[in-house]
Amino acid sequence: MVSGNLFHCRKHSWPPEEYVGRATLQLLDFDSAAPPEQAWRRRLNSHANILKEFSVTFMEAIKMVRLGIRLWSYVREEASHGRKAPIDPFTRISCKPSASQGVPLGGMGSGSISRGFRGEFRQWQIVPGTCEPSPVMANQFSIFISRDGGNKHYASVLAPGQHEGLGKAGDQGIDSWGWNLSGQHSTYHALFPRAWTIYDGEPDPELKISCRQISPFIPHNYRDSSLPTAVFVYTNSIGGISHLSGDHVNEPFLTARGNPPVTFAVAACETQNVNVTVLPCFGLSEGSCVTAKGMWGTMVQDGQFDRENFKSGPSMPSSPGEALCAAVSASAWVEPHGKCTVAFALAWSSPKVKFLKGSSYHRRYTKFYGTSEGAAQDLVHDALMSMYLWFGCVLYSNEPNIAFRNLDADYKRWEEDIEKWQNPILRDDRLPEWYKFTLFNELYFLVAGGTVWIDSRLPAPDKRNHRNGEKTDVKGTEAEVNLSDGALVKHTTTSDYYSEDESVVNHEGSNSYSQHHPITLLNEENDSDDGGRFLYLEGVEYVMWCTYDVHFYASFALLELFPKIELNIQRDFAKAVLSEDGRKVKFLAEGNTGIRKLRGAVPHDLGTHDPWNEMNAYNIHDTSQWKDLNPKFVLQVYRDFAATGDMSFGVDVWPAVRAAMEYMEQFDRDGDCLIENDGFPDQTYDTWTVHGVSAYCGCLWLAALQAAAAMALQLGDKPFAEYCKGKFLKAKSVFEEKLWNGSYFNYDSGSSSNSKSIQTDQLAGQWYTASSGLPSLFDEAQIKSTLQKIFDFNVMKVKGGRMGAVNGMHPNGKVDETCMQSREIWTGVTYGVAATMILAGMEKEAFTTAEGIFTAGWSEEGYGYWFQTPEAWTMDGHFRSLIYMRPLSIWGMQWALSMPKTVLQAPEINIMDRISISPSAAAISHEFGVRKITNKAKCFGAAVFHCSC
């Protein structure tokens, strides 16, 4: 719980006035055109340096040589079947990663496109598990200006810099365009899910332009947050008469064979003083009927295209390898000192998700927009508002066709909801400024992290909106890229969720975020919508869905913002716990063979090429022997149960909780009620070996015993509650005896050179205990002593606290270099330990610790990891695994600052004190089924239960 002390307050170091002139801010101060006071900012001419990847030491390479050989063979074997291995360190992408990322576009789970802070469209993730990082330079906004009776002309792409081949003599492609923007007076301002680009007097010295990018990421809105669409609102303020027009050009990109078709669309709205025209087709090569150079020349000369183009109909299909593009122009007269607002609405529709091993599903947005090719057109139609001017164009055409639509409102409502969500945090003067916008910007991963969101039921019929009586028309183009030239691999099983090919296995057997206004998680409205099923990747380099040991850290974001999704992820894992997959798998670290999934073991992940059906894509180690997964499942389930008060959820997952706890009995080798590690990296730190009792896994086990006892009591399973409490009391005594050294808990109870190391993550179990309203695992003095040791050594001895917390540190102040991971700084773990510090009343240390991640990753003096926060970086700032799930744990800090009332009031109840241990508690009652639990649980006020045995 947060104390009343001021947090780590700092001078406001990011005021917009340092990046944009005050006069410009005043001119743009209407219709949300001016950037917010608190945002992440960059000048467009900032250097996007190439990022440096980590490397292993010679000794580490020697230790991993056998693993490397087996992994190489596995990668080649998967490639021979047309599949990508979930972990492939050998294949390098052609586009080297750089410090160029920005806020991604669209909602969650429908494919995403990122947009760099300098304006390029990149990081294409339309196909699940596939990411094309290279920017498509033909996708640009451009401006053409004529003033003073045509005596002054400005024409420029609204993106700075050069690209390869620019300026070739006689070039008919995009090299012939006007790449004239320096970016010196233009700035980017990011506050996810929105971003602002301010062009302060360039390319026209008298023109001030604001481009506001808006995506429908809206907490607790399970409809709009699934939509693959984004809006770009341009606001222009100018002195003198000027004729200006905007243009957006697009080029196709390639994806793997066998994928479903994808349609792109952008809408435009014509009003009395705005003229919208289109060029349905032009090419990038000299042989095209209309070339990119010709298109640009038309705009420079005429400021618009021929209106007869709306009647042109479909163009001829493109030849193999040919890029077929489209352009849209909106032109307007702006009076002296006047203002003009225009907007683009971009959408992409790929209704079917098809995984490589055959299963297909419809994305969640199809529940509201259907599966037809016209869905993209409906999406852009609804994204725009009739009270403003809108214009746009379609991405990528083989056979473009023209469409006219009426207009209705959505994006303004999105912005109102976004501001209502964000303002309580942004206006909380106790919080450091860097924390506020980093908190929101780290959410980029829920869009750009390869998310897939499907509905649990059949998709809705094809939607067609026919609105009459409006004074505006939508004009746009639509195109389809048909990539479905491969055969579907089908198999049929029974399923409790919809799949296009019936291939899903039935796995049975007002938001306020301040301390004074705790979070409200579940909204009673629209409770008939179960929220659908959700997948997100461990990272774009580690292609495994919902990696559970990492979700442990990231899940706070989903629990706070989309609790139905979080509960459904836990339900998916609960079903998985009770299932078994006997197929043989070779584990690459040791070369041994085992079965894919054991009953009672929590899977490492939900799979790669056939999620939900073929789990545990991770095959480095046998994760059925890992010691952290099962306790993490119990802890997450109890936290979610306590926070939401959803009794039906508790009943649904309770059999899996008991099975998970009982499974762990085998790892208590000496009968002291405490689990032991087995001398290999059997937890999330999968290169860091552990011997005997470990601080990390042991603390998680203690926390799981207490959480299971509390949950059992609330669900009416009193014998199991007594059993877990009895084990907890014994295990805690052993844990402290073996690991507590007077100031912190040793890394493990072994005798290796690093057994006394200070591990940053040693109190992970206490983090969840405090986050769930349960009694602390240890004395307050022990907790604070441990956290202070971590702060003094793991944080402050690493470049003065400006890097985050290193995973391992020897008590002599030297970094633990036992292995690659012990010497790394893990971004998500740093946020997690900062959350633990907040819960222990150490706010100053917490924000200093977390600020190291901001300084190294997000600040101008850092390494350039904004909107691609990696799993880890080394002491010299070299990254491992960009665009990673775990840094979402920054929302664990926000959870600590503003826990819901159900959790805040839990210490007043102290459930553990209500559990009395009887002599019969020495043995587990295996006959206590769910039906009995639900009967007894009725006294806790639950009205509905979904029971099965």
Side-chain angles (χ1 to χ4, degrees), residues 596-632:
R596 179 174 291 277
K597 168 67 178 69
L598 286 173
R599 189 185 189 282
V602 174
H604 172 274
D605 54 79
L606 291 179
T608 292
H609 299 306
D610 198 5
W612 297 300
N613 303 327
E614 186 180 87
M615 293 170 285
N616 279 337
Y618 177 92
N619 60 349
I620 304 296
H621 298 288
D622 180 358
T623 58
S624 69
Q625 300 299 303
W626 277 19
K627 310 307 184 293
D628 63 336
L629 288 170
N630 283 39
K632 285 176 175 176

Side-chain angles (χ1 to χ4, degrees), residues 436-451:
K436 297 177 187 179
F437 55 76
T438 306
L439 176 72
F440 292 115
N441 285 337
E442 288 285 17
L443 290 172
Y444 84 93
F445 188 83
L446 290 177
V447 172
T451 53

Side-chain angles (χ1 to χ4, degrees), residues 532-555:
R533 299 179 94 183
F534 190 84
L535 298 170
Y536 64 147
L537 292 174
E538 179 178 337
V540 296
E541 298 176 42
Y542 297 163
V543 187
M544 294 164 283
W545 300 108
C546 295
T547 299
Y548 200 73
D549 56 305
V550 185
H551 181 69
F552 174 79
Y553 299 83
S555 58

Side-chain angles (χ1 to χ4, degrees), residues 123-141:
Q123 294 291 137
W124 304 81
Q125 296 189 75
I126 307 298
V127 178
T130 303
C131 179
E132 174 48 61
S134 300
V136 179
M137 295 305 297
N139 288 338
Q140 298 292 344
F141 292 100

